[in-house]
Amino acid sequence: MQPGDLIYRERKAYQGVPLGEDDLPRAWECLTEVMDPEVPVVSVVDLGMIRAVEWEGDRLKVKVSPTYSGCPATEVIERDVQEALEDTGFKNPRIERVLAPAWTTDWITDKGRAALQAYGIAPPPKGQGRDTLHDPGPAECPHCGSTDTVQVSEFGSTACKALYKCRDCLEPFDYFKCL
Amino acid sequence: MTTDQALTEYLLRLADTDMVLAQRFCEWCGNAPALEEEIAMMNVGLDLIGQARNWYDYVAELRDDGHDADFLAFRRNEREYRNLLIAEQPRGDYAVTTAKQFFFDVWHHLVLTRLTESSDERIAGIAAKGLKEATYHRRRSTEWMLRLGQGTEESHRRLTDAVQNLWRFTYELTDTDEIEDQLAEAGIGAGNVGDVWRAEVARVFAEAGLELPEPARHFYMDGKNGKHTEHLGFLLAEMQYLPRAYPDATW
């Protein structure tokens, strides 16, 4: 998948018996196929946005943590999560938006980091969400691996990215901000 | 005033200030001096709109009168807006935009930092999320203050003019009224951040080679209580036109 490619998830109405309490793993499984619309190679699970999947009475409840306060993809992601669960067989699932604790890039999984890198976006350093917000270290070029890189702008094509340039291979690249 | 009434007033000040400032930022879309700056400003504006929505959602829940965040943003009149006066001032040239943003960012960062300790968990959560973003914003506008202050003769002159033009509005950033004092005492609000704000602004001014004016004094206008400069009405007219002209429009 290349940057700029669009994703489209085909809806398929679920025909069987509604799923119940024993089917929680299937909920997680289907969410691993819901991609961030702006970074369509990473699922919402790998981004660490899904904070809990649990039963609330006879409905499934999913807690979703937005990445940035103003991320325009928030509503789309919530709708995609809702539809994916319905199509898998969970009846009338409830999506709850949770702000606290605030989402951090430390929640991005190793699989998610690898997918970002392969897509040409330098992943944020792991476990440094708190520190690097104040002092962003050198970003590693996702194309050639060099750390001789320079920040062009702290703000990029989406709220979650900054713009960098590699001094070795001279390619510009996006860096997923460490938050 | 009951705590709940004071709280909705207080939250509207935070929300409206974010909203109006973001709207001013968006006026730079297609007009910014450099592409990276345009992207940066749209990013900051988006963060602020997101934060405004988080506060508006809470106000709507507290009021529980059937109105949602969109209503609060798009259907209230000028006198019902509670934003700080500095937010509604025209964008001016890049020095004005920069100085305005810097004064706001330092205040915003201090206020959100304190609000993460609020006894109201909802406020603490929204503030903790917004604080991460405000940290970026503050770093960016501080760097621009230094760059323009230490830059060319013209950039220095323009920034000095911008500071002189805007300084009178900074009293709202360093002052508190009864509502803010009441909520600070209850452990909910941020209280007065004036001393720390002045110290931080003085530090950056010294580094940028700018002259620090005397502390701004209170005057007859009062954005926190709906008494605005003439600029807000024009801004709202543009911002609210579509949802008012086509009330059920969706896309």
Side-chain angles (χ1 to χ4, degrees):
Chain A
M1 192 150 212
Q2 293 294 313
D5 287 355
L6 295 177
I7 48 166
Y8 177 70
R9 208 179 57 82
E10 206 162 309
R11 291 209 67 179
K12 210 167 147 192
Y14 180 75
Q15 302 290 352
V17 193
L19 300 180
E21 298 202 11
D22 297 335
D23 301 304
L24 271 188
R26 288 187 61 184
W28 278 102
E29 198 184 308
C30 88
L31 294 180
T32 60
E33 285 168 22
V34 177
M35 299 295 161
D36 179 328
E38 289 183 331
V39 191
V41 290
V42 189
S43 75
V44 289
V45 173
D46 284 321
L47 274 175
M49 293 178 71
I50 307 296
R51 304 318 301 160
V53 181
E54 58 203 26
W55 283 94
E56 186 182 62
D58 59 351
R59 297 171 80 179
L60 190 68
K61 183 171 85 174
V62 178
K63 292 184 178 176
V64 181
S65 200
T67 55
Y68 278 74
S69 300
C71 180
T74 304
E75 277 86 7
V76 177
I77 288 173
E78 289 172 357
R79 191 201 61 206
D80 287 352
V81 165
Q82 172 106 22
E83 288 180 359
L85 290 166
E86 281 171 2
D87 297 350
T88 305
F90 294 96
K91 213 177 153 191
N92 199 16
R94 189 164 88 81
I95 313 299
E96 186 183 295
R97 192 182 298 174
V98 286
L99 298 179
W103 178 84
T104 159
T105 46
D106 290 347
W107 292 345
I108 301 178
T109 63
D110 287 338
K111 189 180 157 208
R113 284 166 205 276
L116 283 172
Q117 173 108 17
Y119 190 58
I121 299 173
K126 205 174 172 181
Q128 294 181 30
R130 185 169 282 270
D131 303 333
T132 46
L133 186 63
H134 303 282
D135 180 38
E140 189 181 303
C141 172
H143 307 298
C144 73
S146 166
T147 51
D148 187 10
T149 58
V150 58
Q151 188 185 70
V152 178
S153 171
E154 195 160 22
F155 300 87
S157 55
T158 62
C160 54
K161 287 177 280 181
L163 198 58
Y164 274 69
K165 194 174 80 179
C166 177
R167 283 203 182 103
D168 274 329
C169 71
L170 303 179
E171 286 291 323
F173 64 91
D174 273 333
Y175 166 69
F176 207 101
K177 283 195 266 205
C178 200
L179 193 74
Chain B
M1 199 179 272
T2 66
T3 307
D4 259 12
Q5 284 169 331
L7 187 54
T8 49
E9 282 292 305
Y10 185 69
L11 293 171
L12 279 177
R13 293 174 184 180
L14 293 167
D16 290 342
T17 301
D18 285 345
M19 190 70 199
V20 168
L21 199 61
Q23 184 69 16
R24 278 280 181 245
F25 249 170
C26 294
E27 293 174 3
W28 281 103
C29 189
N31 298 301
L35 183 60
E36 285 79 9
E37 271 312 290
E38 176 150 330
I39 293 170
M41 281 190 287
M42 295 311 112
N43 269 222
V44 175
L46 204 55
D47 287 342
L48 293 178
I49 288 175
Q51 293 181 29
R53 183 182 58 185
N54 290 339
W55 298 126
Y56 283 140
D57 280 340
Y58 191 21
V59 173
E61 276 178 45
L62 288 170
R63 285 188 167 177
D64 196 23
D65 58 1
H67 291 145
D68 62 3
D70 278 349
F71 177 91
L72 291 170
F74 296 116
R75 303 288 178 87
R76 281 180 308 139
N77 295 326
E78 183 194 348
R79 282 276 172 140
E80 295 164 285
Y81 258 72
R82 296 288 181 258
N83 61 281
L84 303 179
L85 296 169
I86 198 165
E88 72 204 34
Q89 297 314 304
R91 66 181 165 131
D93 62 11
Y94 212 61
V96 172
T97 290
T98 299
K100 199 152 77 115
Q101 193 62 25
F102 170 69
F103 292 150
F104 167 79
D105 284 343
V106 173
W107 173 86
H108 197 212
H109 188 264
L110 292 169
V111 166
L112 290 181
T113 303
R114 287 208 190 161
L115 289 181
T116 59
E117 308 282 328
S118 172
S119 60
D120 183 314
E121 281 182 17
R122 179 79 173 265
I123 292 180
I126 296 172
K129 180 131 201 78
L131 180 60
K132 291 181 175 224
E133 295 151 7
T135 307
Y136 275 106
H137 304 170
R138 176 177 169 168
R139 188 158 67 217
R140 173 182 167 277
S141 55
T142 301
E143 282 170 5
W144 271 106
M145 286 297 284
L146 299 179
R147 195 176 297 188
L148 295 180
Q150 300 167 352
T152 63
E153 216 170 277
E154 181 169 4
S155 74
H156 187 89
R157 176 183 61 76
R158 285 192 182 224
L159 189 57
T160 304
D161 288 351
V163 168
Q164 277 174 6
N165 166 8
L166 293 167
W167 188 257
R168 60 199 154 129
F169 299 112
T170 62
Y171 83 85
E172 284 191 319
L173 307 172
T174 54
D175 227 26
T176 49
D177 67 1
E178 285 148 26
I179 290 177
E180 289 161 311
D181 293 341
Q182 181 188 343
L183 290 173
E185 272 163 40
I188 299 169
N192 193 324
V193 297
D195 290 342
V196 213
W197 185 88
R198 271 190 285 267
E200 173 59 14
V201 169
R203 189 186 66 75
V204 175
F205 267 47
E207 204 183 331
L210 295 164
E211 206 172 308
L212 191 72
E214 289 292 310
R217 294 223 193 110
H218 203 280
F219 63 108
Y220 64 96
M221 280 181 177
D222 183 4
K224 293 174 185 175
N225 289 298
K227 289 179 199 144
H228 294 280
T229 59
E230 63 178 328
H231 307 296
L232 182 65
F234 292 99
L235 180 144
L236 293 182
E238 186 177 11
M239 184 178 100
Q240 298 182 333
Y241 169 76
L242 194 137
R244 284 192 190 256
Y246 304 94
D248 299 319
T250 55
W251 62 85

